[in-house]
């Protein structure tokens, strides 16, 4: 049986069992985590990036804790991913927090068409046309040498802005998907969590070329990040996350 079929069968069985009560839900989550660890190891061996993470519950406390491939001591970065959601409200996608303070690196949507990038606790806002129930491919770029931060989608590029020139995003923090952090792995209420689907999230410790960014916003999984690589992602799912 193919790995994708195994995941689909397992995901369907789990969805049927979740309604059995709190005790059953706890047991299912434990079993689900063990199964996902096994399946994730198989997927890494296959080198596949063709899967979605589904955050199904609203409101919910589910999130994913990621172990980067290398040190996150960043003086520049490119973060690319694809999302699909029907949420109107605000939600976070990516959060990196150190003990020095919250939101050392955060990307969140504040409302439809309005996004915020936080670096070192300082935020800049970008406004551009996006849509519900359509896949949004997004890349965010920042370079400490100039302080320039920008955002690009498959359709357009934002007006570039300046934030924290000369700053370094320090290593030793916690990386979460779908949850904001007030301090490492402790954060905001469930009403601000991400609900939807996440695909091909990659992080580099440098700014990609313009052509590479255009490619990443059109074909998200054609590139692999050198800090976080979706195709060999090491993670722990906290709460109910479905991987298909």
């Amino acid at each position: 049986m193919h790995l994708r079929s195994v995941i689909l069968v397992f995901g369907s069985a789990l969805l049927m069992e979740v309604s059995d009560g709190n005790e059953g839900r706890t047991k299912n989550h434990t079993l689900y985590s063990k199964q996902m660890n096994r399946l994730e190891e198989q997927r890494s061996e296959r080198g596949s990036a063709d899967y979605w993470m589904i955050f199904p519950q609203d409101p919910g406390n589910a999130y994913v804790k990621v172990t980067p491939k290398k040190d996150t001591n960043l003086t520049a970065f490119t973060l690319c991913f694809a999302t699909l959601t029907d949420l109107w409200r605000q939600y976070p996608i990516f959060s990196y927090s150190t003990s020095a303070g919250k939101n050392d690196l955060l990307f969140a949507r504040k409302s439809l068409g309005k996004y915020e990038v936080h670096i070192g606790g300082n935020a800049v806002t970008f406004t551009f046309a996006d849509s519900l129930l359509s896949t949004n491919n997004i890349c965010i770029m920042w370079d400490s040498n100039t302080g320039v931060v920008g955002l690009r989608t498959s359709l357009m590029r934002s007006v570039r802005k300046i934030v924290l020139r000369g700053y370094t995003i320090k290593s030793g923090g916690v990386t979460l998907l779908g949850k904001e952090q007030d301090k490492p792995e402790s954060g905001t209420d469930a009403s601000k969590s991400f609900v939807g689907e996440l695909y091909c999230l990659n992080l580099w410790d440098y700014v990609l070329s313009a052509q590479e960014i255009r490619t990443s916003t059109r074909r998200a999984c054609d590139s692999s990040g050198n800090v976080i690589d979706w195709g060999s992602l090491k993670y722990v799912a906290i709460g109910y996350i479905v991987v298909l």
Side-chain angles (χ1 to χ4, degrees):
M1 183 178 290
H2 293 297
L3 175 59
R4 186 176 181 86
S5 299
V6 172
I7 297 175
L8 285 170
V9 170
F10 177 76
S12 298
L14 180 60
L15 287 170
M16 291 173 64
E17 293 175 9
V18 163
S19 61
D20 289 343
N22 292 333
E23 181 178 354
R25 185 179 296 111
T26 301
K27 291 179 180 178
N28 288 335
H29 287 173
T30 301
L31 175 61
Y32 177 79
S33 296
K34 291 179 180 178
Q35 292 288 338
M36 279 299 100
N37 287 337
R38 180 175 62 82
L39 293 173
E40 193 255 3
E41 289 172 3
Q42 293 177 8
R43 183 169 57 247
S44 295
E45 291 171 5
R46 291 163 59 92
S48 173
D50 189 19
Y51 65 96
W52 289 78
M53 284 186 177
I54 304 173
F55 300 70
Q57 296 177 324
D58 185 16
N61 289 312
Y63 62 94
V64 173
K65 183 178 180 181
V66 173
T67 301
K69 294 173 60 177
K70 61 184 294 187
D71 192 18
T72 49
N73 201 60
L74 303 177
T75 55
F77 71 81
T78 305
L79 174 67
C80 296
F81 54 86
T83 62
L84 179 63
T85 183
D86 57 3
L87 288 180
W88 288 88
R89 62 167 172 80
Q90 70 181 74
Y91 59 80
I93 291 294
F94 183 94
S95 174
Y96 175 77
S97 179
T98 65
S99 57
K102 69 173 183 178
N103 299 337
D104 215 27
L105 173 54
L106 170 69
F107 180 78
R109 193 187 79 175
K110 304 305 290 182
S111 60
L112 189 64
K114 183 173 291 186
Y115 290 83
E116 280 189 352
V117 178
H118 295 244
I119 297 173
N122 291 259
V124 289
T125 301
F126 297 96
T127 301
F128 67 92
D130 63 355
S131 60
L132 299 177
L133 296 177
S134 295
T135 301
N136 291 301
N137 294 276
I138 297 173
C139 286
I140 306 102
M141 303 75 67
W142 173 72
D143 186 348
S144 176
N145 288 329
T146 59
V148 171
V149 58
L151 186 152
R152 186 177 183 92
T153 72
S154 55
L155 299 176
M156 62 172 290
R157 176 179 68 79
S158 72
V159 174
R160 286 170 283 196
K161 301 186 178 183
I162 304 294
V163 61
L164 284 188
R165 181 182 178 189
Y167 184 73
T168 298
I169 299 171
K170 301 296 185 182
S171 60
V174 174
T175 302
L176 301 183
L177 309 181
K179 180 182 175 68
E180 186 178 342
Q181 306 174 77
D182 290 332
K183 57 184 179 180
E185 212 167 347
S186 175
T188 55
D189 60 68
S191 66
K192 297 179 182 178
S193 62
F194 175 64
V195 180
E197 303 185 25
L198 179 63
Y199 182 63
C200 281
L201 185 142
N202 290 286
L203 176 66
W204 294 261
D205 59 2
Y206 57 92
V207 176
L208 298 181
S209 69
Q211 181 57 50
E212 289 171 324
I213 290 170
R214 282 192 292 269
T215 297
S216 292
T217 56
R218 289 178 172 85
R219 300 185 300 275
C221 279
D222 277 10
S223 303
S224 298
N226 69 334
V227 179
I228 295 175
D229 173 17
W230 190 255
S232 60
L233 192 67
K234 293 183 179 180
Y235 67 90
V236 176
I238 312 298
Y240 185 39
I241 306 290
V242 179
V243 180
L244 296 175

